[in-house]
Amino acid sequence: GHGGDDDGADGSDCHSDDEWNVTWNTSNPDFTKCFQNTVLVWVPCAYLWVCFPFYFLHLSRHDRGYIQMTHLNKAKTALGFLLWIVCWADLFYSFWERSWGRFVAPVLLVSPTLLGVTMLLATFLIQLERRKGVQSSGIMLTFWLIALLCALAILRSKIMAALKEDADVDVFRDVTFYIYSSLVLIELVLSCFSDRSPLFSETINDPNPCPESSASFLSRITFWWITGMMVQGYRQPLESADLWSLNKEDMSEQVVPILVKNWKKECAKARKQPVKVVYSSKDPARPKGSSKVDVNEEAEALIVKSPAKERDPSLFKVLYKTFGPYFLMSFLFKALHDLMMFAGPEILKLLINFVNDQQAPDWQGYFYTALLFISACLQTLVLHQYFHICFVSGMRVKTAVIGAVYRKALVITNSARKSSTVGEIVNLMSVDAQRFMDLATYLNMVWSAPLQVILALYLLWLNLGPSVLAGVAVMILMVPVNAVMAMKTKTYQVAHMKSKDNRIKLMNEILNGIKVLKLYAWELAFKDKVLAIRQEELKVLKKSAYLGAVGTFTWVCTPFLVALSTFAVYVTIDENNILDAQKAFVSLALFNILRFPLNILPMVISSIVQASVSLKRLRIFLSHEELEPDSIERRPGKDGGGANSITVKNATFTWARGEPPTLSGITFSVPEGSLVAVVGQVGCGKSSLLSALLAEMEKVEGHVAIKVGRGLNAPYVCCLSPQGVNLSGGQKQRVSLARAVYCDSDIYLFDDPLSAVDAHVGKHIFENVIGPKGMLKNKTRLLVTHGISYLPQVDVIIVMSGGKISEMGSYQELLARDGDFAEFLRTYASAEQEQDEQDNGSAGIGGPGKEGKQMENGMLVTDAVGKQMQRQLSNSSTYSSDIGRHCNSTAELQKDEAKKEEAWKLVEADKAQTGQVKLSVYWGYMRAIGLFLSFLSILLFISNHVASLASNYWLSLWTDDPVVNGTQEHTTVRLSVYGGLGILQGLSVFGYSMAVSLGGVLASRRLHVDLLHHVLRSPMSFFERTPSGNLVNRFSKELDTVDSMIPQVIKMFMGSLCNVIGACIVILLATPIAAIVIPPLGLIYFFVQRFYVASSRQLKRLESVSRSPVYSHFNQTLLGVSVIRAFEEQDRFIHQSDLKVDDNQKAYYPSIVANRWLAVRLECVGNCIVLFASLFAVISRHSLSAGLVGLSVSYSLQVRRDALGSIFPSLNGELVAGSWASAAPWRIQEMTPPSDWPQVGRVEFRNYGLRYREDLDLVLKRINVTINGGEKVGIVGRTGAGKSSLTLGLFRINEPAEGEIIIDDVNIAKIGLHDLRFKITIIPQDPVLFSGSLRMNLDPFSKYSDEEVWTALELAHLKDFVSSLPDKLNHECAEGGENLSVGQRQLLCLARALLRKTKILVLDEATAAVDLETDNLIQSTIRTQFDDCTVLTIAHRLNTIMDYMRVIVLDKGEILECGSPSDLLQQKGLFYTMAKDAGLV
């Protein structure tokens, strides 16, 4: 290239002034030749080469399988080669020219070479992407776009040059260039399409894959790919079947294990840190067998404490490790967006200059307009990519947190369970996980907000000089104010969470024990308890509301004060400082940008604060101690251990470390295949012994070995504990038994499974399953029992008292020894025993045929079918039934033999309501706030926005003041009016903020009271069909929404709405011609909105509905955790939980994408407003003042940012949450019976019939019986004959289907429920206690004096026990009464009855779970204390009712026999058979 000084030859001359004239200051701009051949060719090349290394790395990391060659791919590759050939043709042409001796500028050699190589690189990338499974590439699309734009600029100038006269045209180069640009255009078009899916990808075998992965790049950045679902949702309501599967990387099984693994690593690291000196027996590295730790060593361990304090494992680090890499992408997008944000004000500056400069050529104005529009659109796309990444990260964090909490809940110890109640753990999953989701969107603001502030201040400084410092001073003054408020918010936050935890815990118990509440008519007492907690919560909420109002005031006023102070200082420092349009409106635009980071910072801080509170709660929970399954040695069957399958040596167990031991010095061994019975008084530790063997308790000392055959993986122990859905007590027991038999273990532990069933079934179970001839005869069985009749048949009896083993041996040995046991037997067994021995001879009762029938009626211990059903019941996946709820309505399934498939769906799932949010909901919310407050806030709102508009319009008038001698007149007037308008604005903001916040609290209070009232007033059937999870969800998540979200959302929504309207008014003021475009844009806006809301609402509801099963399942798991552990079914339950979470996220993911979809669409409408505002300003620039142009464009820029879109839908969703259905009809108390009713206690059933649901058969039919006052009547019958249903009818838990019940001449269906239920007392099947003091459990209304309560306790034989407690009557019962034994709970129920002392008493299977001694106590107490009362006993043990006046025998819902016991025995009917089974005849 030595001929570079040959100037004129070829126009490759690069003098800048000349270039500027050609390009800028003409009415027909063009680029110089030199610029065309260098910059315009090199830009696309540079872009691709810079991206290449990063992109290559990315592709090599993320391989999605390769895509087969398609026509699209072939075409792209072929075109790439063609382009390369075209470029090099140019190069060879230059060489050819050179060889002819013509001078060729070096640029003509360099550019084609570079371009050719770049095209080869592009072709290589097209193939590489195919190999790595990229279906559509943004990198390549951008490359072709840049290349095309550059080519178009050159093309235009080539055509212009060719059209000039006497132009010398370089034909060859022009032709190749035309070919080049058309090929690039085709490549660009091809890049817009998406290739087919990679081979072997998951999407192929997925029935409903998410279209995102196969969408093209353009479709992704505009979120076009979700439009299909939006259209579908617009046409008809979306169902859960329409939802796409989750992307693999968002699924639980992908996300959770990584988090759990990282957390374990982090914990291990944290533990390793200190110097290890402690010889704790808890060292995980200890070999299996050496669990016998020397006592001295223990003592030593206590002395030598490790010097370094263990550091807490950091959960934040773990979250960062797990989700950081993906989240980091959002950094780039955010930074890019922040920089682009400042393009707006800068272009505005140029635009105002252009309007002021009458000489400037028109095309410059259009150029600025286009720039403004393009930068706005790019900003939109980048911003929403950023949001998308944040939301997806948030979603993954939530999935991971729920998964981790669930997995942890399966392994924490009992002491840890005490410190985290069910309510707290559910909140961890719902509220705290949500906090992390919210944080994900805010986290980047930590660095982005300061960056925006600094950039804005820099540009302001350039604009206004030092007077900006006045504005900065105002901002800095506001920072401490905001900080103080954030701190206060944090304290309120913690307090709020605490009362919320308590409220949810209480609600949980109420919902679990709702049946008992209804039977005792205690709803009101508990309602008051909940409302008291809620009152505390609302106090805190109210304080937060005041704070929030002050906060909003400072936020809204800060930007204005900043502008005011800056302008004031600017015009007063120096007369010659003129506030012209450019300075004022560019500054205003910058202040508007500043407003956002300043407003958001407090929110970011409070969000971080909340998240840190949550993080701490979560860390504490995840760091809880775990059960040590190896505290119990499990030996494989082959080696050693002799013939004993359970060996316990000198072992002491406690429920929680540091508490006194529950079991001490236990030593026994169980030979393989033997049947061992454990007997003893109530509360002597029988059930605890089983828990200890299951490794549910902490072992303090000693040695326990359990021998396991058939490998360690088999469930090694089976445990039975009765919990079920809507089965009667007996049926639950048997489902449980079937489950145990079905799992075929080596060792069975039975916790009194024979108690809840009647004698016949009990005998059957014992003989066919548990006993010496039963199905399990070769297994080791440990049976806790209260029934004496089985004792002679067992191999060994262990007698327990007070947490120790007092005696042990066979039945005969213990009798011979004449100790506690013999004493214990003598009292009860005289009659029973002889009978039993005769009975033993006869093999079965009444032949096998009858036997089979019996079980079928009672349901389920048949073979294959049984297993099938069993699975469905215990699994709770098929029907979201709720194992954890103790609602025993006697068998919904009874006698229905699953006639209809429907009848099997015991519990209804939470249904999504469809359709629009009715106006009545909004109206209802306004009414809940109070109409006065509502209208006041709306009025203040409007005045605020009017003031704001006026102040800006005033500013534009000010800037158009003429300049005389370098100064403006009336400066002081202008300034003072501007200030006054600002103050007005501030006051109205404060007013409406106060009104909305207070209104929100009022509404929240009202809604909660109503909700609670409706729920407590609902009939029992409502609770039996609604999983408690749904209701808990209503009370936790959705109430939280009403409390904290809705007022915020309303403020934001109203604000955005007013801004948009204001902007339209201003634009119309400035350029009336805009009236042509604003209505159509408004229509588009409205249409997009409507289109979106239809689908979004369904998605919101589907998400909310699929959230309930997550909590329901979790609740069940927590309640049945020991059973799950005993059966070693953890993995199945974890898998189920994961599926439920994924189902929930399946609805959540489209709803985030739909939000992005809407926001992109609406912001594009906003961008069009910007476009037209500036376009019309340019068109009519000769008639417009600069002030008005500035005003209208800066307003339109502001609208862009107030994307109304993202707010409106959330408002909708939140209000949906608020519209719950009220469940129950009101019960009017108009017919109150006299206060001393019933005096006699006469109960008449007249042709009474009862059914559980309209679509089921009658459970009771044609019941006609009269029970006279003071009669003692026993009700007997096989399991499921309808005994309990009778009591349900008496208490009107179920309303009669036909006939009526009359008590002392009052038809009970006509009076108020509470009037009825206060007058009859029940001792229910399962003794439910609530957490609270003992006194509260006996007398929640505090109607009785302490003396009366003590008397009742004494009569119930609990006085000694209660006196021995440290807090006496104020002893706190744990959740569900877990810290009392079953027998003690039963006696407490007796004490309740004694305290109420009503004329009619019902005992429902009351004596089932109690040992004989307690049973006798209860019976004798009832005989003496309720002598003059009517007593109805539902009996399982016939000996309890043999001395009653009358017995009613029920069978299949009808009265079969009725009369005194002796008469019935002589009839030799059903009663006789039952008595024979029980060994009484």
Side-chain angles (χ1 to χ4, degrees), residues 24 193 461 582 622 693 709 714 751 850 899 1059 1139 1337 1403:
W24 190 247
F193 295 107
W461 180 278
Q582 181 199 326
L622 289 177
L693 291 176
D751 194 348
K850 180 177 165 193
K899 192 160 40 195
N1059 280 343
L1139 282 181
N1337 267 302
L1403 271 88

Side-chain angles (χ1 to χ4, degrees), residues 81 346 654 1297:
F81 278 121
E346 289 306 297
T654 169

Side-chain angles (χ1 to χ4, degrees), residues 467 567-580 583 958 961-972 975:
S467 41
F567 291 154
V569 170
Y570 183 70
V571 294
T572 48
I573 289 179
D574 184 349
E575 296 216 301
N576 298 332
N577 276 351
I578 299 162
L579 195 64
D580 58 8
K583 285 198 166 57
W958 179 2
D961 273 355
V963 179
V964 188
N965 305 336
T967 63
Q968 282 172 320
E969 297 150 19
H970 332 301
T971 307
T972 43
L975 195 58

Side-chain angles (χ1 to χ4, degrees), residues 388-405:
H388 186 60
I389 290 177
C390 287
F391 277 112
V392 171
S393 298
M395 175 176 117
R396 286 181 190 171
V397 170
K398 184 175 179 182
T399 301
V401 165
I402 291 181
V405 168

Side-chain angles (χ1 to χ4, degrees), residues 751-781:
D751 194 348
D752 205 3
L754 305 173
S755 59
V757 295
D758 52 61
H760 174 91
V761 178
K763 184 151 191 152
H764 174 97
I765 290 177
F766 187 80
E767 299 206 334
N768 291 359
V769 182
I770 302 176
K773 300 195 179 59
M775 291 165 61
L776 305 177
K777 58 176 179 287
N778 302 325
K779 315 280 187 180
T780 308
R781 292 144 312 191

Side-chain angles (χ1 to χ4, degrees), residues 976-995:
S976 46
V977 171
Y978 188 61
L981 285 168
I983 289 167
L984 181 66
Q985 203 179 329
L987 289 174
S988 51
V989 165
F990 187 65
Y992 91 76
S993 200
M994 252 349 205

Side-chain angles (χ1 to χ4, degrees), residues 653 655 662-664 666 668 676-694 696-697 719-720 748-753 755 782-787 791 797-807 821 824 1380-1384 1408-1415 1437:
F653 293 95
W655 277 112
T662 321
L663 301 172
S664 49
I666 301 283
F668 71 92
V676 177
V678 182
V679 296
Q681 309 291 7
V682 170
C684 68
K686 299 185 296 289
S687 302
S688 301
L689 182 64
L690 297 195
S691 297
L693 291 176
L694 285 171
E696 292 282 315
M697 293 175 75
C719 161
L720 282 188
Y748 286 83
L749 308 182
F750 295 111
D751 194 348
D752 205 3
S755 59
L782 206 66
L783 168 71
V784 168
T785 183
H786 294 121
L791 295 182
I797 297 171
I798 295 177
V799 185
M800 296 195 67
S801 69
K804 296 189 170 58
I805 293 181
S806 64
E807 291 190 288
F821 179 71
F824 167 74
L1380 298 173
S1381 77
V1382 182
Q1384 286 162 340
V1410 180
D1411 59 289
L1412 295 170
E1413 191 173 352
T1414 319
D1415 188 357
R1437 301 190 182 150

